[in-house]
Amino acid sequence: MTIKATVWGENVHERTNAVVARIYPSGMHTCIADGLNEDLEIEARSVTLQDPEHGLTEEVLENTDVLLWWGHAAHGEVSDTIVDRIQARVLQGMGLLVLHSAHYSKIFKRLMGTTCSLKWREAGERERLWVVNPGHPIVQGVGEYIELPHTEMYGEPFAVPNPDEVIFISAFEGGEVFRSGLTYRRGNGKIFYFRPGHETYPIYHDVKVRRVLKNAVKWARPEGSRWIDACPNVPPEQAPNPVVVKGEGLHKPGEEGFK
């Protein structure tokens, strides 16, 4: 069955920075979606911050198995209503891939519950992403490491919760290291944070980076039935075993509780 992926990009630097526009003339979001569409098992589309409802209407998210998120300069412009909508879908089972500077996105910080801060340096140095979990589905076909000749440095400490799994550890030319591939589960949904992706370098054209994203989409696809968040008031007569009502209660039969 085809996996439906939606690539979200803030689409700011592509329109304001000549370097980024030269590397990604159709936008980073389009480049990422094109890479995913090389795989016949994936059907990817892209949407942007400037689209109505940021391109993430209820209908779009309802028909998204995995959402990929790239943001940098406009995190604060993302509507909290849309963040609520995304969070609900992740808890239900939609996969979420958080790319590079989207560590500071509203949705990632909310799902992590931390500041998600880190060290950084923009010096075009070499990065080598070492595969530290070679049996994981996300790194199949990648080899021992991914080498990027020019990139932005991210350094530890990375202020996120301890991950379920560490997939990559990066070593930079300047000496810093960074946990560059992390997985989490929130509710019924799977999350993968993947560090590479600075916009002034052609990282999303890299064959191995594209392989990781394809693998990650397949790993993050929903599993099982959709989990719907609810807090129903179960009447005594509907209990699995007989219940005799004793004493007085705060709520009337069928009344909703406080949330």
Side-chain angles (χ1 to χ4, degrees), residues 23-24 148 150 198-206:
I23 297 170
Y24 298 106
L148 300 173
H150 304 291
H198 189 61
E199 54 269 39
T200 60
Y201 308 111
I203 291 168
Y204 293 120
H205 294 286
D206 185 271

Side-chain angles (χ1 to χ4, degrees), residues 84 87-89 91-93 187-188 226-232 259:
D84 292 342
Q87 180 185 21
R89 284 289 293 119
L91 297 179
Q92 290 171 5
N188 209 33
R226 182 177 296 191
W227 178 74
I228 304 298
D229 187 15
C231 185
K259 299 180 181 178

Side-chain angles (χ1 to χ4, degrees), residues 90-220:
V90 171
L91 297 179
Q92 290 171 5
M94 182 183 73
L96 177 66
L97 273 56
V98 179
L99 307 177
H100 188 59
S101 46
H103 68 92
Y104 266 153
S105 63
K106 286 184 177 181
I107 183 59
F108 190 59
K109 290 197 293 183
R110 180 182 294 186
L111 289 166
M112 295 299 102
T114 58
T115 62
C116 302
S117 61
L118 46 80
K119 296 178 183 176
W120 63 281
R121 177 175 59 248
E122 193 176 11
E125 57 200 278
R126 186 203 68 229
E127 174 185 7
R128 187 170 287 168
L129 295 99
W130 288 97
V131 173
V132 296
N133 195 340
H136 200 280
I138 288 176
V139 297
Q140 298 312 298
V142 172
E144 285 191 323
Y145 60 84
I146 300 171
E147 184 158 320
L148 300 173
H150 304 291
T151 189
E152 179 186 26
M153 185 278 292
Y154 277 9
E156 296 285 349
F158 187 15
V160 291
N162 286 332
D164 297 334
E165 303 164 303
V166 178
I167 310 299
F168 291 101
I169 293 179
S170 286
F172 292 90
E173 193 173 342
E176 291 89 354
V177 297
F178 191 76
R179 293 168 291 162
S180 287
L182 307 177
T183 70
Y184 297 90
R185 286 181 181 262
R186 292 294 184 268
N188 209 33
K190 289 183 281 187
I191 301 167
F192 177 54
Y193 173 76
F194 189 45
R195 197 214 73 83
H198 189 61
E199 54 269 39
T200 60
Y201 308 111
I203 291 168
Y204 293 120
H205 294 286
D206 185 271
V207 173
K208 287 191 175 183
V209 169
R210 288 188 170 210
R211 169 51 56 196
V212 168
L213 295 181
K214 293 169 191 170
N215 289 346
V217 164
K218 294 178 183 180
W219 169 83

Side-chain angles (χ1 to χ4, degrees), residues 8 10 49 54 69 71-80 83 104-106 109:
W8 188 91
E10 67 179 24
L49 174 70
H54 307 331
W69 192 276
H72 191 184
H75 299 312
E77 296 180 31
V78 176
S79 163
D80 289 339
V83 176
Y104 266 153
S105 63
K106 286 184 177 181
K109 290 197 293 183

